[in-house]
């Protein structure tokens, strides 16, 4: 399969031969294995024009596949992927090149065509997942999704509309770096993390923030795009390190305890939204069900927290 894929000359849009090959593999899947999630993400690319002698086209201009090409230089690439919901498989469905990013209306058209292709393959999409970019928010709105009812129906298939939790936490970290967050009478300050790191890094014994580096605390514009760096800040270990420094008296801060509690809350919320196994010692990592009320209580708590949060 991989050798066959490497031999393809890729162009923006859907590749019928590629999809037919996947259709054969899907036909041998179990029903639950066919359930999947549609992922879409867009990234900036460098402008570059070159001639493809195999396809006899000039590449580097805006190309939205079924929506046509334009003479504008391509500066963004949109990729739509499909990933198994219960099993660990994934593949790129299609990609498109745009000048200033695909608009909400264009995304609606491309998503509808993508869902049709996925259904024709024999897969069963359950959700659409993306970050909270402005055009993605418009996409969900145009599809009919609301805060109370984040659902839509495309080609008879009901789909959940979900924002990626990792990108949400990345945005939260970036906001904390530039200023404090106030939640009722509590202040969440990134300075508490910074001060604890300085104390922890000078420790002659064990370090509590062993995964944290200067890059986590002062990321450049490119590093601010890393979800991994943000998730490592909102962790149980960082929360525990702050509380330890408070107890030893090394950290003198009125906001430190509230900051530590907030980091732990976001850590638990991420676990609740990132279940991977049917059984887990961590109650927040168990699958969401009526038997596991810890997850529902944690999500309700976090929703209440952000309803009362404001940036200082």
């Amino acid at each position: 399969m991989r050798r066959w894929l490497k031999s393809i000359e890729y162009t923006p849009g859907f590749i019928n031969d590629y999809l037919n090959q996947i259709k054969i593999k899907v036909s041998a899947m179990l029903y639950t294995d066919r359930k999947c999630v549609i992922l879409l993400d867009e990234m900036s690319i460098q402008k570059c024009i070159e001639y493809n002698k195999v396809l006899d086209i000039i590449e580097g201009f805006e190309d939205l596949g079924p929506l046509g090409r334009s003479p504008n230089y391509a500066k963004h690439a949109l990729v739509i992927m499909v990933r198994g919901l219960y099993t660990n498989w994934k593949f790129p469905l299609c990609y498109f090149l745009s000048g200033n990013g695909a608009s909400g209306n264009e995304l609606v058209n491309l998503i509808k065509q993508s869902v049709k292709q996925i259904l024709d393959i024999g897969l069963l999409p359950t959700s659409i997942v993306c970050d909270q970019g402005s055009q993605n928010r418009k996409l969900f709105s145009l599809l009919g999704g609301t805060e109370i009812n984040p659902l839509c129906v495309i080609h008879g298939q009901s789909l959940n509309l979900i924002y990626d939790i990792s990108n949400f936490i990345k945005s939260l970290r970036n906001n904390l770096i530039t200023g404090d967050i106030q939640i009722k009478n509590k202040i969440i300050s990134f300075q508490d993390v910074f001060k604890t790191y300085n104390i922890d890094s000078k420790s002659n014994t064990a370090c509590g923030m062993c995964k944290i580096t200067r890059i986590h605390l002062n990321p450049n514009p490119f590093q601010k795009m890393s979800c991994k760096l943000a998730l490592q800040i909102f962790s149980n270990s960082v929360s525990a390190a702050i509380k330890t420094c408070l107890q030893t008296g090394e950290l003198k801060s009125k906001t430190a305890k509230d900051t530590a509690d907030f980091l732990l809350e976001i850590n638990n919320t991420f676990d609740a939204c990132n279940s991977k196994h049917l059984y887990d010692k961590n109650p927040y990592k168990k699958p969401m069900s009526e038997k596991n009320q810890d997850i529902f209580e944690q999500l309700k708590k976090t929703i209440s927290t952000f309803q009362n949060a404001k940036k200082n």
Side-chain angles (χ1 to χ4, degrees):
M1 180 67 167
R2 291 181 180 177
R3 291 180 181 176
W4 180 80
L5 290 176
K6 288 181 180 179
S7 67
I8 295 177
E9 281 290 338
Y10 289 102
T11 56
F14 303 96
I15 305 173
N16 292 329
D17 292 339
Y18 168 62
L19 297 178
N20 288 334
Q21 184 77 6
I22 294 175
K23 188 174 183 178
I24 295 172
K25 291 186 174 291
V26 170
S27 64
M29 286 183 178
L30 298 174
Y31 177 80
T32 53
D33 293 344
R34 297 185 184 191
K35 291 194 173 184
C36 58
V37 175
I38 302 172
L39 310 172
L40 64 144
D41 198 8
E42 195 168 48
M43 64 177 291
S44 298
I45 58 175
Q46 187 175 6
K47 292 189 293 184
C48 179
I49 301 297
E50 62 180 25
Y51 176 66
N52 187 324
K53 62 181 181 180
V54 176
L55 299 174
D56 191 28
I57 60 172
I58 297 177
E59 297 179 315
F61 292 110
E62 187 174 59
D63 190 337
L64 295 176
L67 303 184
R69 304 183 71 191
S70 81
N72 299 323
Y73 289 113
K75 293 182 288 185
H76 293 83
L78 168 70
V79 178
I80 299 178
M81 293 189 65
V82 185
R83 182 165 190 165
L85 184 62
Y86 296 108
T87 50
N88 191 25
W89 58 262
K90 61 183 177 181
F91 66 88
L93 179 70
C94 52
Y95 78 95
F96 306 97
L97 304 175
S98 61
N100 295 312
S103 67
N105 289 314
E106 290 169 338
L107 286 175
V108 170
N109 197 320
L110 295 175
I111 283 294
K112 288 183 176 179
Q113 294 195 47
S114 296
V115 172
K116 184 178 184 304
Q117 293 285 350
I118 292 169
L119 291 172
D120 289 344
I121 291 171
L123 294 172
L124 303 171
T126 61
S127 310
I128 300 174
V129 181
C130 61
D131 61 32
Q132 294 174 291
S134 59
Q135 294 306 322
N136 291 337
R137 297 199 302 272
K138 185 177 181 181
L139 164 67
F140 282 4
S141 177
L142 292 172
L143 289 175
T146 63
E147 182 179 346
I148 299 174
N149 187 36
L151 295 169
C152 72
V153 177
I154 301 177
H155 298 296
Q157 187 73 19
S158 180
L159 298 168
N160 297 283
L161 305 176
I162 303 173
Y163 290 123
D164 177 31
I165 184 67
S166 299
N167 279 280
F168 164 75
I169 294 178
K170 179 185 69 177
S171 298
L172 180 60
R173 188 278 314 272
N174 292 342
N175 273 280
L176 263 179
I177 288 177
T178 58
D180 297 343
I181 293 178
Q182 182 175 348
I183 303 170
K184 292 185 177 180
N185 61 340
K186 299 178 180 179
I187 300 295
I188 314 303
S189 176
F190 195 75
Q191 287 301 310
D192 293 322
V193 180
F194 198 93
K195 292 176 182 177
T196 302
Y197 172 79
N198 288 334
I199 296 170
D200 189 67
S201 61
K202 297 174 183 177
S203 174
N204 294 322
T205 57
C207 293
M209 300 170 66
C210 53
K211 291 185 178 180
I212 305 303
T213 65
R214 288 286 175 182
I215 294 175
H216 292 78
L217 305 176
N218 189 27
N220 60 36
F222 181 77
Q223 291 160 346
K224 284 183 179 180
M225 300 300 293
S226 170
C227 292
K228 180 181 178 179
L229 295 179
L231 291 170
Q232 288 174 332
I233 290 290
F234 294 90
S235 64
N236 182 39
S237 59
V238 174
S239 175
I242 294 174
K243 291 179 180 178
T244 300
C245 289
L246 271 176
Q247 290 177 350
T248 59
E250 297 172 279
L251 177 62
K252 303 183 185 301
S253 171
K254 295 180 180 179
T255 61
K257 184 180 182 304
D258 292 334
T259 300
D261 290 340
F262 181 75
L263 297 182
L264 182 60
E265 179 180 343
I266 299 302
N267 173 76
N268 293 340
T269 300
F270 176 73
D271 288 344
C273 296
N274 196 36
S275 173
K276 293 182 179 179
H277 307 288
L278 186 59
Y279 303 102
D280 200 293
K281 293 180 180 180
N282 185 341
Y284 300 114
K285 287 188 176 182
K286 293 180 180 179
M288 184 179 292
S289 71
E290 294 180 356
K291 296 180 180 179
N292 187 20
Q293 289 297 316
D294 292 332
I295 288 182
F296 293 101
E297 291 174 5
Q298 179 63 37
L299 294 177
K300 288 178 182 179
K301 178 183 178 182
T302 304
I303 290 172
S304 176
T305 294
F306 282 98
Q307 286 176 337
N308 297 288
K310 64 178 181 180
K311 177 78 177 290
N312 285 344

